[in-house]
Amino acid sequence: MYKVIKVTPFFSERLWGGHKLKDFGFQLPTNDLYGEAWVISALDNGMSYIATGPEQGTSLKSFYKNHPEYFGTTESEFPLLSKIITANDYLSVQVHPDDEYSLKHNKMLGKPECWYILDCPSDATMIYGHQAQTKTELITMVEQKVWEQLFTKVKVKKGDFLYVPPGKVHAITPRVTVFELQRSSDVTYRFYDFNRADKDGNLRPLHLQECFDVTTVPDSNEQVQHIIEGILVDNQYFTLHLLTKTQVLDLSLVQWGKVTVVEGEITIGTETLKAGESAIIVDLNQKITVKVNGKALLSYKK
């Protein structure tokens, strides 16, 4: 029988953060500026912990390694990371490497990711792609600092979905809140950081050579999508469901999954999760009924 196990988030302070995470049910630990809730994470620099039961307080990383019978996987590390990101300012314009490049240079897998827009202004745009047609043109435009000409901005609205493969230039913009699902990798290369200094007056490092190496040129052709229910993405890296109504999900080919509630509440079996709560669902391989009175995002790796 499957188990629904709640986990605690890790809150990440950011220069561009604020307190908007409270609007999604989170209790922030201090008055500092928080930009991200790593709601389900097994990375050492942002760990989730088991919230209930006899193993309460165990790190998700340890729980995953201690219970292979629950996860039925041969992967040595927990493979997925979920975040909620709230931006009061631009995030750095960045790009992520693919597996081949990242394994060679960082000794970890590459970083595909995706965004579901939870909230944004009516005139919101995101940086999603670039205009360079060749590597030489990309390098020249960066050297000339013609950022407005280089970076592509796309209009977005609440409920939109964007897939960000490795090699895709991207940045979240002010007052936009996203649910982000990604490979459990922490490799980010910065193109541009708006010349911002941290609280000590230091500029964050850029990684221009790495950006030139891994950026897809010409740009790939992913599009902003608007999907009101069901599967948002389904590929070799991850599958992501948007749940807005009560339904039966056939997860008979899935050993485990993870879910985050972003609005209202849901019930799986005897476990109810409210906005701001997340859980892993282990020992699956069956159909499950999810009672939804709000909105949640369920993900897994096949």
Side-chain angles (χ1 to χ4, degrees), residues 4-6 52 266-273:
V4 180
I5 303 169
K6 291 183 181 181
T52 56
I266 69 169
T267 299
I268 305 173
T270 60
E271 196 71 54
T272 296
L273 304 172

Side-chain angles (χ1 to χ4, degrees), residues 114-144:
C114 58
W115 300 325
Y116 176 73
I117 309 293
L118 295 173
D119 193 24
C120 65
S122 59
D123 59 348
T125 61
M126 301 277 265
I127 293 175
Y128 189 57
H130 66 87
Q131 297 297 320
Q133 296 304 302
T134 65
K135 288 281 187 178
T136 299
E137 186 178 8
L138 175 67
I139 294 168
T140 299
M141 294 178 80
V142 170
E143 290 175 341
Q144 294 176 347

Side-chain angles (χ1 to χ4, degrees), residues 138-208:
L138 175 67
I139 294 168
T140 299
M141 294 178 80
V142 170
E143 290 175 341
Q144 294 176 347
K145 303 184 189 307
V146 288
W147 309 117
E148 289 294 324
Q149 295 171 240
L150 175 58
F151 300 134
T152 300
K153 291 186 177 180
V154 295
K155 293 181 179 180
V156 295
K157 57 184 180 295
K158 183 177 178 178
D160 281 349
F161 175 78
L162 296 84
Y163 178 59
V164 185
K168 187 78 171 181
V169 176
H170 60 279
I172 298 172
T173 52
R175 298 165 55 209
V176 174
T177 299
V178 306
F179 173 89
E180 178 178 281
L181 174 66
Q182 59 164 90
R183 171 83 69 63
S184 187
S185 171
D186 202 24
V187 181
T188 294
Y189 299 140
R190 294 191 194 98
F191 258 112
Y192 179 57
D193 199 29
F194 303 91
N195 299 313
R196 286 176 296 200
D198 63 20
K199 57 187 177 183
D200 298 318
N202 301 312
L203 299 176
R204 294 195 295 179
L206 302 180
H207 314 96
L208 294 183

Side-chain angles (χ1 to χ4, degrees), residues 8-30 32-41 43 45-48 81-94 96 111 113-115 118 126 170-173 176-183 185-188 190 193 196 204 260 276 278:
T8 60
F10 169 83
F11 296 106
S12 179
E13 295 179 47
R14 299 288 179 173
L15 288 173
W16 39 261
H19 300 108
K20 190 175 174 61
L21 285 167
K22 293 179 180 178
D23 295 347
F24 294 89
F26 296 103
Q27 295 184 353
L28 300 178
T30 70
D32 292 316
L33 300 179
Y34 291 97
E36 301 180 354
W38 294 26
V39 292
I40 305 177
S41 168
L43 289 180
N45 59 329
M47 188 66 66
S48 292
L81 169 61
S82 296
K83 301 178 181 177
I84 293 179
I85 303 174
T86 62
N88 271 357
D89 198 351
Y90 283 91
L91 276 67
S92 62
V93 183
Q94 53 193 237
H96 304 306
K111 187 180 172 184
E113 63 186 28
C114 58
W115 300 325
L118 295 173
M126 301 277 265
H170 60 279
I172 298 172
T173 52
V176 174
T177 299
V178 306
F179 173 89
E180 178 178 281
L181 174 66
Q182 59 164 90
R183 171 83 69 63
S185 171
D186 202 24
V187 181
T188 294
R190 294 191 194 98
D193 199 29
R196 286 176 296 200
R204 294 195 295 179
T260 296
S278 299

